[in-house]
Amino acid sequence: MFHFKLHTKVLGAFLLLSLVPLGFLLFNSQHSLRLVEDLLRQRTTEVLDDQAAKALESRAQMVAQQVSAFLQEVEGDLLDLSLLPTTESDYLNFSRSHQRELWYRRGTNDKPIEVREKALLYSELSYIDPHGSELIRIVAGHPSHDYRDVSDPAQTTYKSENYFNQAVQLETGQLWVSRLHGWYVSRNDQLQGAKTPLEAVQGALYQGVIRFSTSIWENGDLQGVVVLSLDHRHLMEYTQHISSIEDKKVVFPSYSSGNYAFMFDDQGWMIAHPKYWDIRGYDPSGQLVPAYSAETSKQDILSGRIPFNLFAADFIHPNYPQVAAAVLRGESGVVETVNVGGSNKIMAYAPIEYNRGVYRNYNVFGGVTIGAEIDQFHQPAEATSHLIQREISNYLIQSWVVISLTILFIIATAYFLSNSIVRPVLLLTEGTRRMIRGNLSAEVKVSSNDEVGVLADSFNTMVAELNGRRQRLLHTLQALRRSRKEILRERNFKDTVFENIEIGLLTFDADSMVTSANGHACHILNIERPGKDCPLEKLLVEWPELHEVLRKWFLASQAGESSSFREYVPLDRKGRTLTYLMTMFPLSFRQQEGWLLTIEDLTERVDMRQKMARMDRLASLGRMSAGIAHEVRNPLTGVSLLLDDLHDRLLGKEDQQQLIRRALGEIERLESLVNEMLHFSSLPTPKLAYGKVENILQESLFLIRKQCQQQGVKLLEEMADNLPEIMLDADRLKQVFLNLLNNALDAMPDGGVLQVEVKKRTDKMMIRISDSGVGISAEKLPLIFEPFFTSKGQGTGLGLAISYNIISDHGGDIQVESSLGEGSTVTILLPLMQMG
């Protein structure tokens, strides 16, 4: 059961008596006005749409009449030409004196420009003798002596025209008019990459003619035939610039909008259209391209060979053949259609009256249609409808405003009266509600001295007491919040240090269960972050060496030998030696025992120390080699000169001379060794310049190709295209390549495969040389870049050491992979960027 307050009862009584009649009046008025509005909008829309359709039809009739008049003008020009003397100069003057303006587009698809210029009305004039041979021919305003026998249709321009054979059958004063002839332009020809005909400024143009011909008789004898070829572009001018929505003309209509006009002949063929591939045309063999129909092959549709004929277009919309049939009956009208692009439109049509030549059957040249997209066609009617709706809506709004103001006045008056009656009780009730919502500082001010006033004073005393208690509770809560913030700050600091320190940290309890691991530890160990209750053995399953160290530490801890541990642990992974530093400390937290394990990857630091030590050794060896070479070189020269002189004195003693020649050979070998030592100890600073690595490698390969053929070594080359230039010293880099290639050939004395590969890898240029030779044993592989080390039993052993220094001077790296009996692979990595 509902319980209403006193204020609600009083206020409701006032409002019920005043607003119900007013609301009923307002509802009835609005309903009546809306009925009138719907009726008025419907009648107005019908009238305006009917007027627009008639205007569109009248426009089509006017264009059709203009085309008919234009065709009759061409007839007059033909008769005038037949009266002129049959000389080339008279025909040429006639051609140049008959011009009309053309409005078209030029330029590019991105930047089209509009052009208005005078153009020849007739693209071709000719005079033909009674046997079909052309005697005078004017083409594009210039004489042409490329005469043809047009009595044979195969020799006509479009290889199938019979205008001469029709003209010779005419009597004096009669004319023959042909249908449109022109080479067919496919969709791909017109668009050439553009999306719509409106954008295809650079596409192919349709070029066609309509032949007007008459025969010349004298004393009953045929003297010849005069032919005028109307340039098809002048016919298209009547429909090309029509915009069905705007009064102004356009240079080229938008097919996709549906607001355009087109022209068709008495057979239903399209002869003027924004889509040139819709216009009838002939293929190169002189055959008329078949009309687009429901049976057209997918290949023709994809290639854009789909000329449009209204009589065959019922599969697109049934109204197209009906329009063509109505035009042949001489009727005009308006229908709704859908074009090939899917636009719904209103289409007005009108016949072009004409009865010459092939058009005598129906006394109709064809038809003109003007289309308008349906939504835009109805736009004037809809605009008027919206105007009516807006005016009625404005009237209703004004009525609502007046009634609303009246309602507000009634409500204010009712509220004032009811408030004066129940205000003291409402104030006390509202004060109680504010206190329930938490506002303990609000007092209830009641000026009356009755029982309600006494109740209000007691209520205010209670509010003051509650407010004091509330303040004390707030102070306590603020102190708790400060303590919580300090705890959170300390925890966040520890979490930040734990996660961002550059050392791997793991904690685990006394049962060897991992309790936490920071991101750096997961990165070093290449593991996912462990979940809850993860055993240490499971976490380190891929790292048995580390787990063995921890196991020894646990045993030592249980034996009481130590409470903290530290050890360097070497590891072998993927052919690379890693060095980890592990430390472990006892951890006590929240009365739970455990351990803190730190893991630090010192591999790069150890590798750097080893490289520095090797560089120190090489520098010392270089200085020692230079000293020894200088001290040995001069005595060797003296001994060589003495032995040479002694050889010359022992003429006739072949055995003794043979011994001296062997000694000289050994001295030359020692001099070669001395020169190699000097070259190794004093390598010049590389002269870096931009160059192509593949060109230097090709030069090096050229020098060993003959040796490869002699040894039966198959040479395989794989060099990437468009490799960038890098900073290099061509001579020194060539020395490296020749050294490596010769080493590979020495490893394959009985033949094999030598493979050379050059490609870009991220920010490096990679050169890889592989052979299928004897290979290098694992214990010798670390020594190959050491000076004087050789595995061939001959040579100085400095080649790879010098190569290593040259690649290092380029800022690069050289690596060797080899297996005994399987071959070796040398990989050189050079930086792409210029060295600093």
Side-chain angles (χ1 to χ4, degrees):
M1 186 174 181
F2 296 103
H3 297 280
F4 296 101
K5 300 177 182 178
L6 179 60
H7 183 272
T8 305
K9 292 178 181 179
V10 176
L11 184 61
F14 280 113
L15 296 178
L16 186 63
L17 294 174
S18 57
L19 295 182
V20 171
L22 189 62
F24 177 77
L25 177 63
L26 178 62
F27 173 77
N28 185 61
S29 300
Q30 181 177 2
H31 179 69
S32 300
L33 283 174
R34 288 302 181 189
L35 291 177
V36 173
E37 174 194 346
D38 293 340
L39 180 60
L40 185 59
R41 290 175 61 189
Q42 179 182 356
R43 296 293 177 83
T44 303
T45 300
E46 292 174 355
V47 172
L48 290 177
D49 283 348
D50 183 62
Q51 291 178 353
K54 290 181 178 179
L56 201 64
E57 182 181 355
S58 298
R59 193 172 181 184
Q61 291 174 344
M62 180 182 67
V63 173
Q65 292 172 1
Q66 292 174 349
V67 174
S68 179
F70 174 64
L71 295 175
Q72 293 175 5
E73 290 179 12
V74 176
E75 291 182 14
D77 290 342
L78 177 63
L79 295 178
D80 291 342
L81 180 61
S82 65
L83 298 176
L84 292 178
T86 53
T87 65
E88 186 176 271
S89 60
D90 289 322
Y91 274 56
L92 183 60
N93 291 332
F94 182 90
S95 172
R96 294 176 178 176
S97 63
H98 288 74
Q99 299 184 20
R100 282 199 178 192
E101 183 181 84
L102 290 178
W103 184 21
Y104 57 92
R105 301 177 301 169
R106 280 292 179 267
T108 64
N109 293 350
D110 297 329
K111 294 182 179 181
I113 58 175
E114 296 185 14
V115 178
R116 291 179 183 266
E117 65 178 4
K118 292 286 188 179
L120 295 176
L121 187 59
Y122 305 109
S123 59
E124 185 177 346
L125 291 77
S126 59
Y127 178 73
I128 309 167
D129 69 10
H131 304 291
S133 298
E134 293 176 328
L135 302 179
I136 299 175
R137 189 179 182 206
I138 308 297
V139 179
H142 299 281
S144 174
H145 297 148
D146 183 16
Y147 299 129
R148 304 164 299 178
D149 181 6
V150 294
S151 64
D152 180 9
Q155 295 190 37
T156 59
T157 302
Y158 300 103
K159 301 181 179 180
S160 59
E161 300 178 83
N162 64 345
Y163 55 87
F164 173 78
N165 297 326
Q166 294 291 341
V168 296
Q169 301 177 18
L170 299 175
E171 299 178 359
T172 302
Q174 290 184 339
L175 305 178
W176 174 260
V177 183
S178 72
R179 290 191 172 85
L180 175 64
H181 286 77
W183 299 121
Y184 181 70
V185 176
S186 69
R187 178 175 56 210
N188 296 337
D189 294 335
Q190 182 181 4
L191 297 183
Q192 293 188 5
K195 294 181 179 180
T196 63
L198 185 62
E199 300 172 0
V201 179
Q202 296 174 263
L205 301 177
Y206 185 90
Q207 296 179 347
V209 296
I210 297 178
R211 310 283 190 186
F212 288 76
S213 55
T214 186
S215 57
I216 300 176
W217 297 83
E218 184 176 338
N219 299 325
D221 295 328
L222 178 63
Q223 301 298 313
V225 173
V226 179
V227 180
L228 270 182
S229 300
L230 174 64
D231 190 336
H232 168 258
R233 294 180 298 170
H234 292 285
L235 191 64
M236 286 188 68
E237 284 290 299
Y238 287 96
T239 58
Q240 190 80 351
H241 309 304
I242 293 176
S243 175
S244 58
I245 300 302
E246 301 177 357
D247 292 335
K248 65 179 182 180
K249 294 184 176 181
V250 295
V251 64
F252 197 89
S254 171
Y255 171 77
S256 58
S257 68
N259 301 318
Y260 61 90
F262 64 81
M263 191 185 308
F264 59 93
D265 64 12
D266 62 331
Q267 291 183 336
W269 287 103
M270 205 67 64
I271 59 174
H273 197 282
K275 294 193 307 180
Y276 298 156
W277 66 83
D278 278 359
I279 302 176
R280 63 173 278 163
Y282 292 82
D283 61 20
S285 64
Q287 297 296 320
L288 187 65
V289 177
Y292 181 30
S293 67
E295 288 76 27
T296 300
S297 65
K298 290 185 179 180
Q299 181 180 358
D300 286 341
I301 295 175
L302 292 176
S303 63
R305 287 173 50 89
I306 46 175
F308 202 79
N309 189 301
L310 295 184
F311 286 111
D314 56 339
F315 71 101
I316 298 175
H317 198 281
N319 280 343
Y320 280 120
Q322 294 179 13
V323 168
V327 165
L328 294 183
R329 295 193 299 268
E331 300 173 358
S332 60
V334 178
V335 295
E336 289 190 12
T337 61
V338 177
N339 66 6
V340 178
S343 297
N344 294 318
K345 65 177 187 174
I346 298 293
M347 188 174 74
Y349 59 90
I352 303 172
E353 297 180 356
Y354 193 69
N355 60 355
R356 297 288 190 179
V358 296
Y359 306 104
R360 291 180 178 176
N361 294 336
Y362 299 101
N363 293 327
V364 170
F365 178 79
V368 172
T369 71
I370 301 177
E373 199 271 332
I374 284 184
D375 291 339
Q376 296 183 4
F377 176 79
H378 294 307
Q379 189 173 358
E382 291 179 355
T384 304
S385 175
H386 290 321
L387 178 62
I388 294 172
Q389 183 182 21
R390 185 172 64 251
E391 292 300 324
I392 293 179
S393 297
N394 289 338
Y395 173 77
L396 289 175
I397 291 173
Q398 293 173 1
S399 301
W400 269 105
V401 170
V402 173
I403 294 175
S404 297
L405 292 175
T406 303
I407 291 174
L408 290 176
F409 177 76
I410 293 173
I411 292 174
T413 303
Y415 185 83
F416 175 76
L417 292 175
S418 63
N419 192 51
S420 63
I421 297 174
V422 298
R423 182 176 179 275
V425 177
L426 291 177
L427 286 176
L428 186 57
T429 304
E430 183 62 25
T432 304
R433 291 175 178 172
R434 288 200 300 269
M435 185 182 69
I436 294 173
R437 290 194 296 266
N439 185 5
L440 302 180
S441 62
E443 294 184 355
V444 177
K445 296 180 180 181
V446 178
S447 58
S448 63
N449 297 320
D450 52 11
E451 291 80 359
V452 176
V454 175
L455 180 61
D457 292 338
S458 301
F459 177 80
N460 291 335
T461 302
M462 180 186 65
V463 169
E465 179 65 23
L466 289 175
N467 193 37
R469 295 183 180 182
R470 179 175 177 272
Q471 293 299 326
R472 290 192 293 273
L473 288 174
L474 287 176
H475 289 308
T476 304
L477 181 60
Q478 289 176 355
L480 290 174
R481 287 177 177 172
R482 285 194 296 270
S483 300
R484 181 176 179 274
K485 288 182 179 178
E486 292 176 358
I487 294 172
L488 290 176
R489 189 181 301 113
E490 182 179 357
R491 188 192 68 182
N492 293 337
F493 173 76
K494 292 180 180 179
D495 290 344
T496 302
V497 172
F498 184 78
E499 279 299 326
N500 295 286
I501 192 170
E502 296 260 337
I503 298 176
L505 298 176
L506 293 97
T507 60
F508 42 92
D509 57 20
D511 298 327
S512 298
M513 303 297 290
V514 178
T515 56
S516 64
N518 70 350
H520 204 67
C522 297
H523 175 71
I524 292 176
L525 299 176
N526 193 22
I527 59 175
E528 299 289 338
R529 193 177 293 271
K532 186 178 180 181
D533 298 333
C534 177
L536 187 61
E537 295 83 355
K538 181 180 178 181
L539 188 69
L540 298 178
V541 67
E542 299 293 335
W543 303 87
E545 303 92 335
L546 303 184
H547 185 261
E548 179 62 23
V549 172
L550 289 176
R551 190 186 65 81
K552 292 190 298 183
W553 287 356
F554 287 150
L555 294 176
S557 175
Q558 292 173 1
E561 297 177 4
S562 176
S563 60
S564 61
F565 305 90
R566 175 187 178 93
E567 183 175 340
Y568 290 91
V569 182
L571 305 167
D572 289 328
R573 290 294 185 275
K574 297 181 179 179
R576 183 185 177 197
T577 301
L578 307 177
T579 303
Y580 285 177
L581 173 60
M582 294 177 56
T583 57
M584 189 172 73
F585 307 96
L587 181 67
S588 178
F589 180 68
R590 293 181 182 176
Q591 299 180 352
Q592 295 182 0
E593 294 184 355
W595 297 91
L596 172 64
L597 175 66
T598 68
I599 302 176
E600 187 174 359
D601 188 354
L602 301 180
T603 304
E604 293 186 2
R605 198 179 306 172
V606 172
D607 290 345
M608 184 59 70
R609 289 175 181 172
Q610 293 176 351
K611 288 184 179 179
M612 294 298 294
R614 184 179 185 278
M615 291 177 65
D616 291 340
R617 292 199 308 273
L618 291 177
S620 300
L621 183 60
R623 290 191 295 268
M624 183 187 71
S625 300
I628 294 174
H630 281 292
E631 293 300 327
V632 173
R633 194 174 198 180
N634 293 332
L636 282 178
T637 303
V639 172
S640 177
L641 292 174
L642 291 174
L643 289 175
D644 189 57
D645 184 58
L646 182 60
H647 176 274
D648 294 339
R649 294 182 182 184
L650 296 175
L651 294 173
K653 299 179 179 181
E654 184 62 29
D655 294 340
Q656 296 179 6
Q657 284 184 331
Q658 180 67 24
L659 293 175
I660 292 174
R661 283 196 293 271
R662 289 183 179 179
L664 287 173
E666 292 300 316
I667 290 174
E668 288 179 359
R669 193 175 67 82
L670 286 175
E671 286 181 345
S672 175
L673 176 60
V674 169
N675 289 333
E676 288 287 338
M677 293 173 63
L678 285 174
H679 183 64
F680 173 73
S681 63
S682 59
L683 283 174
T685 302
K687 299 178 181 179
L688 300 179
Y690 279 107
K692 292 271 191 181
V693 171
E694 61 269 29
N695 294 342
I696 300 173
L697 188 57
Q698 287 287 3
E699 293 176 4
S700 303
L701 291 173
F702 175 78
L703 299 176
I704 67 160
R705 290 186 191 276
K706 188 66 175 178
Q707 186 176 353
C708 289
Q709 295 175 1
Q710 294 174 351
Q711 291 185 209
V713 175
K714 183 178 182 182
L715 180 60
L716 300 178
E717 302 176 29
E718 184 179 348
M719 300 189 187
D721 297 330
N722 301 321
L723 291 174
E725 293 186 345
I726 64 172
M727 296 293 290
L728 52 82
D729 186 330
D731 293 335
R732 297 186 65 188
L733 205 57
K734 186 175 181 181
Q735 179 182 355
V736 174
F737 292 155
L738 286 173
N739 190 10
L740 296 177
L741 292 171
N742 285 325
N743 286 348
L745 290 175
D746 291 342
M748 298 182 292
D750 299 325
V753 177
L754 175 59
Q755 184 172 1
V756 179
E757 180 183 1
V758 182
K759 66 180 180 180
K760 178 182 174 184
R761 189 171 73 180
T762 61
D763 59 342
K764 302 286 185 181
M765 183 72 72
M766 187 193 75
I767 304 98
R768 180 174 290 155
I769 300 175
S770 303
D771 64 69
S772 60
V774 296
I776 305 172
S777 62
E779 59 271 12
K780 292 182 180 180
L781 193 60
L783 305 174
I784 60 175
F785 292 118
E786 295 295 331
F788 306 111
F789 174 80
T790 177
S791 61
K792 297 185 291 186
Q794 59 182 357
T796 62
L798 292 174
L800 286 179
I802 293 173
S803 299
Y804 183 90
N805 290 341
I806 292 174
I807 296 302
S808 298
D809 289 341
H810 280 74
D813 188 22
I814 181 170
Q815 303 168 1
V816 178
E817 299 175 5
S818 183
S819 298
L820 195 62
E822 297 182 2
S824 304
T825 298
V826 180
T827 303
I828 299 175
L829 298 175
L830 297 176
L832 292 180
M833 302 301 294
Q834 180 178 356
M835 296 175 58

